[in-house]
Amino acid sequence: MGFFDKLKAGLAKTKSTLTDGINNIFSSFRHVDEDLMDELEELLITSDIGVDTTEEILDELRNRIKSDGLSDPGQIKGVLFDILRRMIGDGEPIKCGDGITVILVIGVNGVGKTTSIAKIANVLKNSGKSVLLAAADTFRAAAIDQLSIWADRVGVDIIAHSEGSDPAAVVFDAACAARQRGTDVLIIDTAGRLHNKKNLMNELEKINRVVDRELPDSLRETLLVLDAATGQNAVIQAKEFRKTADITGLVLTKLDGTAKGGIVISINKELGIPVKFIGVGEKVDDLEAFNADEFVRALFE
């Protein structure tokens, strides 16, 4: 099964709630009135698109109805899908050039951060890049072992110290190894916690200082991993992390296990941060670079 088929299957719950719900609403009305708009509002909010984004969608839809003189529900449904497509955004590829790319991966425990790192490494390796992992989440029990197992499965190297070691020391060794080996991409795992923003900020600052010093010409990415099944809570997490980290992209996991895939629509609008990878399963090849057109096809067609 190709990734598009996996994506389509993975978005089945969201499609059933959102797309089929929109189709049912428009087929139930002969004319567009406030009752129809009220039902749309309820549907969009329950699909975890969010209150603010839903209000903006409906305001734009009303403006288009008025400016274009629309009255046929079928036409208006097409306009709504166009609005939703635009709000999803286009995504952005990982920055990869002639030198080293450093990807710092952050996120709370339980969102699939460590497995996402392995899956990203697999995507990059399959595209011809050499990848090195840095096990800088030294505080969570078994985090180093877990990442080591995944590194072995994917077939990439890993730099790791013992549990409880200084994360910055791990990054230093990994940066030196990446430079000496001519590695294309260094992916750094970090401690998955959010409860103490000052400690998190200090740790990320230390890691970034090491990278600045040892790999000054590297391209940089900071990816935040979010569990799509948590819906609007994922947006809240992202807003909190953004206070302490310069997030350049998002990784959305577990889209296959939720009807809340509408989060992809609101997350770009509310945060202005591109989705770079999406995951629709537990296997190593169940994560791919985000392709907005494929996502729209899988969700709306």
Side-chain angles (χ1 to χ4, degrees):
M1 181 186 293
F3 189 77
F4 177 76
D5 292 327
K6 292 180 185 178
L7 179 62
K8 194 169 183 178
L11 290 175
K13 292 181 181 179
T14 297
K15 183 178 175 66
S16 176
T17 300
L18 179 60
T19 310
D20 293 351
I22 290 172
N23 289 333
N24 289 338
I25 289 173
F26 278 101
S27 65
S28 300
F29 286 81
R30 292 187 177 181
H31 305 286
V32 177
D33 54 26
E34 281 306 307
D35 288 338
L36 183 151
M37 301 301 279
D38 287 344
E39 288 200 26
L40 268 183
E41 180 179 29
E42 181 179 353
L43 175 64
L44 295 176
I45 291 173
T46 56
S47 298
D48 251 55
I49 288 178
V51 174
D52 291 343
T53 303
T54 293
E55 288 180 358
E56 186 166 340
I57 290 168
L58 294 181
D59 284 346
E60 183 172 347
L61 185 60
R62 287 187 177 97
N63 289 336
R64 289 283 301 276
I65 291 171
K66 184 177 181 180
S67 64
D68 297 349
L70 302 178
S71 59
D72 179 71
Q75 290 178 308
I76 296 165
K77 181 176 71 172
V79 172
L80 175 60
F81 283 143
D82 287 343
I83 294 170
L84 295 176
R85 165 65 183 88
R86 179 176 52 77
M87 285 195 170
I88 287 172
D90 294 323
E92 290 180 8
I94 285 291
K95 300 171 185 173
C96 285
D98 295 331
I100 297 174
T101 294
V102 178
I103 302 175
L104 187 67
V105 184
I106 60 178
V108 299
N109 291 331
V111 297
K113 177 169 61 71
T114 304
T115 53
S116 291
I117 288 171
K119 293 173 182 179
I120 293 169
N122 186 63
V123 170
L124 294 171
K125 181 188 174 189
N126 289 341
S127 71
K129 302 294 183 183
S130 57
V131 181
L132 178 65
L133 306 185
D137 182 357
T138 61
F139 297 105
R140 182 171 65 87
I144 299 169
D145 290 341
Q146 183 184 9
L147 191 63
S148 297
I149 291 169
W150 274 108
D152 185 59
R153 288 178 184 172
V154 175
V156 297
D157 291 335
I158 183 170
I159 301 296
H161 290 188
S162 59
E163 185 178 329
S165 299
D166 180 2
V170 178
V171 174
F172 173 81
D173 285 351
C176 292
R179 186 178 63 244
Q180 292 166 2
R181 301 175 190 182
T183 301
D184 295 318
V185 183
L186 170 62
I187 305 179
I188 303 171
D189 190 12
T190 65
R193 61 175 182 270
L194 188 60
H195 63 276
N196 190 323
K197 287 184 284 188
K198 188 174 187 301
N199 282 351
L200 176 65
M201 182 170 62
N202 290 341
E203 181 179 312
L204 294 179
E205 285 178 349
K206 283 178 64 177
I207 290 173
N208 280 316
R209 282 199 301 270
V210 170
V211 175
D212 288 340
R213 186 176 66 245
E214 301 303 322
L215 300 171
D217 298 323
S218 60
L219 297 173
R220 305 284 281 277
E221 293 272 10
T222 299
L223 302 185
L224 173 63
V225 181
L226 297 170
D227 180 349
T230 63
Q232 287 299 303
N233 284 334
V235 178
I236 295 171
Q237 279 183 24
K239 289 179 178 178
E240 289 298 309
F241 268 106
R242 193 166 56 178
K243 295 176 183 177
T244 59
D246 183 18
I247 302 167
T248 61
L250 302 172
V251 181
L252 288 180
T253 66
K254 307 178 186 180
L255 275 167
D256 57 314
T258 180
K260 298 180 178 181
I263 187 66
V264 177
I265 295 167
S266 64
I267 207 161
N268 179 63
K269 179 62 186 172
E270 293 194 34
L271 299 173
I273 303 172
V275 176
K276 298 215 171 187
F277 291 96
I278 55 173
V280 288
E282 296 299 322
K283 296 179 181 179
V284 73
D285 58 351
D286 286 341
L287 180 140
E288 283 282 347
F290 178 64
N291 182 309
D293 290 331
E294 285 194 351
F295 185 88
V296 169
R297 282 176 56 211
L299 185 58
F300 295 141
E301 292 183 6

